[in-house]
Amino acid sequence: MADLANPFFARMVWAAEAAVAAWGYSLVVFNSDEKPENERKALARIRALSCDGALVVPVGLPAHYALRDPEGRGFPTVLFGRVVDDRHSDTVTIDNVAAASQVTNYLLDLGHTRIGSITGPLHLTTGRGRLDGMLQAMAQRGVAPEPGHVRSGEFREDVAYSVAREMLDRPDRPTALYVANGVMALGVMRALADLSIHCPNDISIASTDTISGIGGLRPRLTRTEHPIIEMTNEALRLLVDRIQRGKDKPPRNVVFQPALVLGESCAPLRRS
């Protein structure tokens, strides 16, 4: 896992444990904490433990995932959520561009053109894809973010909180903000409360991701939801198939589509 402090990945582990048990396997969990060095150590430990296969949320370079068993054969691996330039592994992902486009088009339909974003790390396909989806949607309407209105929150709640405070405590703050994952949305909503900025009267907020705690926010957050359970089950189905039936099959790539869920955190632009 990339970050077990993120409820998205904690729920994924919960789903994975039940799924592997149904196939007669046990689950060993490692947390890279978004650090490539931790990931390298975890992958080495997986090989040392003679595990049957690995489900990986990647944080490092493609070469890290070209795993081999002690006989030099390809080691069954499925990459989850993030894509790397890897020609050997199956992948299960969400359509990140579509997720951001759905949210951004909704904000544009409400009349917002001064839209900002708190993104994830842009070396990850989740961070880059969601920013690209937002920028593409805005460009199709002939608008673009203003300088300083796109900042990285590193997919961390505390970083997003700090970035949001800086961005929103300015006279030229955006009228709407797209937050690229649910954990960062929690930090953004905390920053709004500390700055006494009211959502959605003063600013509209929308995000991508499904995490526990989001449903309890008030106002309820407009967001794209990802089918975590279905994605996890599909990833493990591919992995078990790879373990049991074919290490030499061509890699398979499965892309799930997000769903836009409307809450009360967005409002039409108020013209001054």
Side-chain angles (χ1 to χ4, degrees):
M1 296 295 102
D3 179 12
L4 281 177
N6 184 330
F8 181 94
F9 296 122
R11 185 162 175 77
M12 180 185 164
V13 170
W14 174 84
E17 189 165 36
V20 299
W23 277 303
Y25 293 91
S26 298
L27 190 69
V28 181
V29 180
F30 296 89
N31 179 35
S32 70
D33 198 33
E34 300 283 7
K35 296 180 174 66
E37 179 59 30
N38 291 354
E39 181 182 69
R40 283 193 292 271
K41 291 177 181 177
L43 293 172
R45 185 66 178 152
I46 286 169
R47 289 192 293 268
L49 289 172
S50 299
C51 293
D52 293 290
L55 176 62
V56 182
V57 180
V59 303
L61 300 173
H64 297 174
Y65 315 109
L67 301 181
R68 299 285 168 180
D69 65 17
E71 286 74 41
R73 297 170 299 187
F75 184 80
T77 305
V78 175
L79 304 183
F80 186 94
R82 302 166 179 176
V83 178
V84 296
D85 183 17
D86 177 78
R87 309 282 165 75
H88 307 285
S89 302
D90 300 318
T91 62
V92 175
T93 62
I94 197 77
D95 189 334
N96 291 291
V97 172
S101 295
Q102 287 178 4
V103 169
T104 306
N105 279 317
Y106 178 67
L107 294 171
L108 290 163
D109 289 343
L110 291 175
H112 296 280
T113 56
R114 202 161 77 240
I115 301 172
S117 180
I118 297 182
T119 74
L122 298 184
H123 69 278
L124 299 177
T125 54
T126 41
R128 170 53 62 185
R130 292 170 196 179
L131 178 59
D132 286 348
M134 172 191 160
L135 295 177
Q136 289 171 19
M138 294 182 72
Q140 288 170 0
R141 307 283 187 103
V143 295
E146 296 183 8
H149 284 185
V150 175
R151 300 278 303 277
S152 175
E154 300 178 14
F155 285 155
R156 302 279 192 174
E157 180 179 351
D158 57 340
V159 178
Y161 169 82
S162 298
V163 169
R165 283 204 62 135
E166 293 175 10
M167 184 190 300
L168 301 178
D169 194 21
R170 297 169 38 166
D172 64 339
R173 70 180 181 226
T175 64
L177 191 63
Y178 166 58
V179 188
N181 83 347
V183 165
M184 294 194 300
L186 296 176
V188 169
M189 298 303 279
R190 187 157 53 90
L192 291 180
D194 288 352
L195 292 169
S196 298
I197 297 173
H198 300 285
C199 172
N201 293 337
D202 299 327
I203 188 171
S204 292
I205 305 291
S207 79
T208 285
D209 245 357
T210 306
I211 65 166
S212 59
I214 284 289
L217 288 177
R218 293 295 180 271
R220 288 192 307 114
L221 196 65
T222 291
R223 64 198 184 276
T224 57
E225 286 203 340
H226 301 173
I228 303 173
I229 306 301
E230 291 84 353
M231 291 175 67
T232 303
N233 288 341
E234 177 63 12
L236 289 167
R237 186 192 69 77
L238 293 177
L239 183 58
V240 170
D241 181 70
R242 183 71 66 182
I243 292 168
Q244 296 180 348
R245 296 182 181 86
K247 295 183 180 180
D248 299 320
K249 289 183 178 180
R252 296 158 291 184
N253 304 294
V254 180
V255 180
F256 282 76
Q257 292 301 312
L260 182 64
V261 178
L262 300 183
E264 294 97 29
S265 62
C266 300
L269 177 66
R270 294 195 301 179
R271 305 288 180 181
S272 57

